[in-house]
Amino acid sequence: MFNKFIAAILPYFPKKFIWIFSRSYISGETIDDAMRVSKDLNSKNIKVTLDVLGEFIKTLDEAESNKKEYLNLIDISYKNHIDGNFSLKPTSFGLLLDKEICHKHIREIVAKTATYNGFIRIDMEDSPCTDDEIVLFRKLKSEFPANVGLVVQAYLRRTLKDLEQMMDLNSLTIPVNYRLCKGIYVEPESIAFKKYEEINRHYLEDLEFMFRNKIRVGIATHDKPLVEGAYNLIRKYNVPKDMYEFQMLYGVTPRLCENIVNEGHTMRVYVPFGKQWFGYSTRRLKENPKMASHIIKAIFYKG
Ligand SMILES: Cc1cc2nc3c(=O)[nH]c(=O)nc-3n(C[C@H](O)[C@H](O)[C@H](O)COP(=O)(O)OP(=O)(O)OC[C@H]3O[C@@H](n4cnc5c(N)ncnc54)[C@H](O)[C@@H]3O)c2cc1C
């Protein structure tokens, strides 16, 4: 209760205060910060996916400037020889304002990445965006088959059906590439599983569907039982190393991350950075209110 209460009121605290918590989840405000953290992770045999923070914009000018920021990030990241790819949120490029413009911006980013043989992951946002993000992915995938992938959320009741319907995109030469996560947004029970056990069961069903159908997957979770479940499925289907990787968020469960790397699996860490760290941080807090008491401790017991 206490943790939940603190998590609910923290967003109203001064930004400086929230930063004390946020700095362990966010690489910093600038590209230099993102490069420094990425190089450090790379040196530990961990790949990255870089994300410029920001979503749900209000004007198309913001979409344009977000696109420029990504184009710049891509060049700088390759100049720095970062072992990584990029993740983006379509609402940052105007998905909810103008779908055509959003497609145009993201297309430009994917095209730029393709010149480096790179890869863009389209993050999945809340349920009003699901259909549009699948349509966007379909369009981009047909033009850039090897350079774009999508996220799917195991908590959505529709996901297995979506996976079946997108099977036409899969091929042995260029498998479709998903990130499978539980899903982070608050959704109604009519469309989303709510119970931990239900979500986990559905997660492993989705993952098994992917392995059975030779789909490439980023197994994005910090949940130990799911990691164990994934290990079992990898063994059961004898999945080659180039067909899966584990993925985690920067700063979350670093010990489990290290164990997975030590077991010889590929690991990729999601490295967010940017000036808009405040919204990202408060969402993380709501997701895991237990963190609130850690922050309070860090603040009051510092030193
Ligand atoms: C690489 C990556 C990309 C993602 N992309 C998306 C996306 O595009 N769309 C989307 O909806 N969601 C995305 N998510 C978030 C995801 O949907 C989950 O909300 C989040 O990963 C928590 O689920 P979990 O599988 O770790 O399991 P949980 O059961 O939530 O967590 C398992 C354990 O991990 C630890 N933990 C989990 N989260 C935190 C945290 N924030 N702080 C501290 N400890 C924590 C706790 O110890 C917890 O007990 C992404 C997650 C990852 C790892």
Side-chain angles (χ1 to χ4, degrees):
M1 277 299 280
F2 175 73
N3 285 330
K4 274 199 174 156
F5 173 70
I6 298 291
I9 59 166
L10 268 176
Y12 303 101
F13 278 42
K15 273 195 167 182
K16 264 192 191 161
F17 195 76
I18 302 291
W19 181 244
I20 296 172
F21 150 77
S22 306
R23 65 182 173 203
S24 49
Y25 289 97
I26 288 160
S27 55
E29 286 203 348
T30 65
I31 290 191
D32 284 350
D33 293 324
M35 294 300 106
R36 176 180 41 78
V37 166
S38 299
K39 282 180 187 170
D40 181 51
L41 288 165
N42 283 173
S43 75
K44 295 173 181 151
N45 201 16
I46 296 171
K47 297 173 191 292
V48 296
T49 184
L50 289 158
D51 170 74
V52 184
L53 290 168
E55 56 205 285
F56 299 110
I57 55 165
K58 292 197 179 74
T59 67
L60 288 172
D61 286 347
E62 289 171 80
E64 176 73 29
S65 91
N66 288 340
K67 176 192 70 186
K68 285 184 183 150
E69 222 176 315
Y70 265 89
L71 295 176
N72 185 33
L73 169 66
I74 291 162
D75 280 335
I76 291 184
S77 168
Y78 281 103
K79 251 183 223 146
N80 278 276
H81 307 289
I82 300 298
D83 185 359
N85 60 33
F86 309 91
S87 291
L88 57 77
K89 292 184 176 54
T91 57
S92 299
F93 300 93
L95 185 80
L96 300 174
L97 302 175
D98 186 324
K99 292 188 198 36
E100 284 307 307
I101 289 184
C102 173
H103 170 256
K104 200 169 128 280
H105 286 325
I106 299 181
R107 191 202 163 277
E108 209 176 318
I109 293 168
V110 178
K112 169 101 180 179
T113 318
T115 63
Y116 291 104
N117 262 335
F119 183 81
I120 295 285
R121 173 80 59 194
I122 301 175
D123 283 352
M124 185 56 81
E125 300 176 87
D126 59 354
S127 57
C129 300
T130 314
D131 284 329
D132 290 335
E133 291 182 353
I134 289 176
V135 169
L136 178 73
F137 169 61
R138 273 191 171 281
K139 262 191 186 169
L140 292 165
K141 171 90 178 141
S142 65
E143 196 178 352
F144 304 97
N147 308 102
V148 65
L150 185 68
V151 177
V152 292
Q153 298 157 322
Y155 68 6
L156 287 188
R157 295 176 189 274
R158 58 180 283 174
T159 295
L160 201 50
K161 203 171 247 173
D162 285 338
L163 292 176
E164 282 164 3
Q165 282 172 357
M166 289 191 282
M167 273 308 287
D168 61 302
L169 299 173
N170 200 35
S171 80
L172 281 180
T173 42
I174 308 177
V176 72
N177 187 328
Y178 295 121
R179 172 193 300 147
L180 176 62
C181 68
K182 287 193 186 183
I184 206 171
Y185 302 89
V186 181
E187 299 289 1
E189 198 165 354
S190 54
I191 61 163
F193 298 110
K194 290 287 179 186
K195 295 196 184 97
Y196 171 84
E197 291 77 16
E198 270 184 327
I199 297 172
N200 277 23
R201 196 175 58 243
H202 198 225
Y203 190 106
L204 291 175
E205 272 170 27
D206 293 340
L207 187 60
E208 184 153 15
F209 177 90
M210 293 182 195
F211 286 157
R212 227 186 306 122
N213 288 288
K214 305 203 182 326
I215 284 167
R216 191 168 277 150
V217 58
I219 305 162
T221 185
H222 320 91
D223 197 9
K224 221 169 164 200
L226 281 187
V227 172
E228 297 292 340
Y231 283 170
N232 289 338
L233 289 172
I234 290 164
R235 275 192 294 270
K236 179 174 171 185
Y237 289 93
N238 200 12
V239 187
K241 287 235 184 280
D242 66 336
M243 290 301 283
Y244 75 92
E245 63 185 26
F246 285 88
Q247 298 186 353
M248 289 191 174
L249 300 173
Y250 178 61
V252 178
T253 59
R255 198 163 299 160
L256 180 57
C257 178
E258 200 184 312
N259 289 345
I260 295 172
V261 175
N262 290 342
E263 294 260 355
H265 303 280
T266 303
M267 171 62 74
R268 186 181 304 276
V269 163
Y270 190 103
V271 176
F273 77 97
K275 296 219 171 349
Q276 295 194 37
W277 53 269
F278 189 72
Y280 179 86
S281 307
T282 48
R283 209 174 51 232
R284 289 275 100 73
L285 261 175
K286 283 185 193 144
E287 185 193 345
N288 187 5
K290 273 188 209 154
M291 287 308 293
S293 59
H294 296 312
I295 304 160
I296 300 295
K297 274 187 203 151
I299 291 161
F300 292 108
Y301 293 105
K302 231 173 167 198

